[in-house]
Structures are given as C-alpha cells and as structure tokens.
Amino acid sequence: MGILPLAERLAKRALNRSGVQSRWVETSVCKLHLYDAAGTGPLPTVVLLHGIGSSALPYAPVLQRLRRRARRVIAAEAPGHGWSATPASAFTPECLSAAMNELLDRELDEPAIVVGNSLGGAVAVNYALSSPDRVRALALASPAGACMEQAELAALLGTFKLRSRADARAFFARLYHRVPWFTPLVAGDVMRMFARETIVSFTSSTRCDHAFTPEQLGSLSMPILLIWGRSDRLMPSANLEYYRRHLPPHAEIEEPEGVGHCPHVDDPRRFAARIAAFAEGVLARGAGAAAPAAAGAPAASGVAGERAVPLEQGTGQAAT
C-alpha cells in the first residue's frame, strides 16, 4: 500500500471518530460514497464537491469548520474516486452528471449551498441548472466547464497524463500556492492514480461541447460566489474570463492572493470562513430557495467559529 492510500484510510477513520458518518448511496451508475456530518449551526446544508483525481478527504478541515456553522455538511465522492465504486461502463461527463445529480436528488432535504472545486465546480453548476429549486446558492472555486478552443482543452487534459514522478511533482506545483512538503513522498501514488482507467476514460471522452453555454450560465438565478486563486497555474486564465463574461451580474467574483487551484487545501480555515460568510449573506438577503430557470432556458450539458471575512482579506498560511 502506498503512502497516499494509507493516509486516506487514516483520515477517513479520524472523520468517523469525530462523528462524521461514512455512507454509500446506490445510484443507477454505481454505488457512491459520501461523508455526512450533522451540524450545530443555523446555516443551510452545505455540499462539498471535489475535482478529478481527488476525493472528499481534502475537504475534511473545511467540513469540520462548516459543521459548526451549518445544519448539515455533505462531502460526496464521484464515481471511481475516493471510496465510491467504479462505473461498470466508461466514465464520461454524462456518467458523472447522472450519478452526482441522482445522489444529490436523494440526499438533499432542503435547498443547499453547493460548493464545487475544479471539476466539482462544473458538477455544481450542472446540478444548479438541472435542479435550481434544490440549490440555495453556488460557491465555485476555479470551476471547470468554460468553453475552450480544442487546442486549449487538449493542453489542459494533457496535464493529467503523468508519465513520471517528475510530472507528478510538476502537477502539484500547478495546483497549489505552495508545493506541499510531502509531494516527493506521494508522487508515485499520484502518478498511478491518474493512470487509472476511470481518469483516462474521463479525459479521453471530454469534448468542447461539454462546456456550459453563455445562455446556461446567464440563466443561473441563485446567489453565486466565484473564487479564482491568483496562484492557480492549472486552469487557463481565459476560463475565468469566460465565467466573468457570462455569469449573471449578481455573481460575486474574487481573485484572492495566497491560494491556488484548490483553496480548500491551500488555506482551509480561510476558505471555510469565506463560504460561511457567503452563506450568511444569502440568508441575510432573504434569498430563499432559488427560483426556477427562465422559461426556454437551455438544458444543462456541462459537467461540471471563526470570524467570517472575504477570502482575499485572510492571512492564513497554506496548509500542508
């Protein structure tokens, strides 16, 4: 067993000991795993969605902080990721969308604050388009799903093809504000993880027409927070500009210093505080459940306490 799988087992056990349930949910795609934490605060349910090749466990410090502020926190794992089962057929954007939408439809008993990073951000947007009445607000961190030229998409997908330990170390350097000290220790595990059939199948089947259209993004009626760390060296800056142009005018867009593609890993304290502040603002404005999308809006095709302060004002150091 490699270092990363062992660390994941220990982290899962620690979460369970702290009262966080570890459950599996049957879907038509495969059995999916999630962490379900009862909270003690007044905020609505918070859903945490991870990116490709990751799992829910990097959200653990954020989950533990948010459960003190919210009624419930759910961290779900995509097919073939974390403790979720691998789909019997090819893992495609359509497969991901079907599985995650089905899981959230079953689990949510109130409109939720849906938080997504990278591919998880695209999953969050997709769910908001397909089930707007179940999404109280969206918080997106460097979300995938922007329309790209074919060459740009191929270059981005190429970064997930890790052929050596050096490639894995370079990949970590693109993800985080500061490269974690343990990167050399887990480089081999990361390389093997991205060589799995689940990941290869997904990256091979992703196309430009899986991106969200301007009309889809513009139809989102719920409160939206978009966080794009200034140290993000993975996602092209053109993707941020696509979201900036096409999200509705009420969307809040922040570009904080000191975090990269994964702000929940770089600075979980600050990220959790920002999500909680955003959720409190949603309640203070009396936003209520999201209104249905405008008639004729296109269907979704993308896949996609502490003192609460705006993320860019925080001073926390990058987590390792």
Side-chain angles (χ1 to χ4, degrees), residues 87-220:
S89 56
F91 183 49
T92 64
E94 292 81 6
C95 172
L96 173 64
S97 175
M100 300 306 288
N101 286 5
E102 190 174 331
L103 178 141
L104 294 177
D105 280 346
R106 292 188 182 186
E107 288 295 319
L108 293 181
D109 55 9
E110 65 171 334
I113 309 295
V114 183
V115 181
N117 170 237
S118 195
L119 182 60
V123 171
V125 171
N126 183 76
Y127 189 66
L129 289 167
S130 64
S131 302
D133 58 318
R134 293 176 178 266
V135 179
R136 187 75 176 262
L138 276 175
L140 310 172
S142 294
C147 186
M148 307 172 68
E149 296 292 336
Q150 184 60 48
E152 292 176 316
L153 178 61
L156 176 61
L157 295 175
T159 63
F160 301 116
K161 298 177 181 178
L162 309 180
R163 299 177 176 85
S164 66
R165 297 172 68 91
D167 285 348
R169 292 193 295 270
F171 180 71
F172 267 51
R174 296 169 73 101
L175 281 183
Y176 304 121
H177 174 63
R178 292 195 182 100
V179 180
W181 63 267
F182 54 79
T183 296
L185 301 178
V186 300
D189 292 333
V190 172
M191 185 177 67
R192 287 187 290 273
M193 177 177 62
F194 278 95
R196 292 181 309 183
E197 178 57 32
T198 300
I199 306 298
V200 174
S201 173
F202 189 88
T203 56
S204 299
S205 60
T206 299
R207 306 182 306 274
C208 291
D209 59 7
H210 286 122
F212 300 115
T213 67
E215 293 77 17
Q216 287 174 327
L217 294 179
S219 73
L220 295 168

Side-chain angles (χ1 to χ4, degrees), residues 241-275:
E241 296 310 312
Y242 186 83
Y243 274 103
R244 194 193 304 277
R245 286 197 307 273
H246 300 303
L247 283 174
H250 66 262
E252 303 174 51
I253 300 177
E254 298 177 359
E255 299 181 67
E257 299 282 358
V259 293
H261 186 70
C262 302
H264 59 293
V265 177
D266 277 323
D267 200 328
R269 179 198 63 82
R270 193 155 46 118
F271 185 72
R274 183 65 188 99
I275 298 303

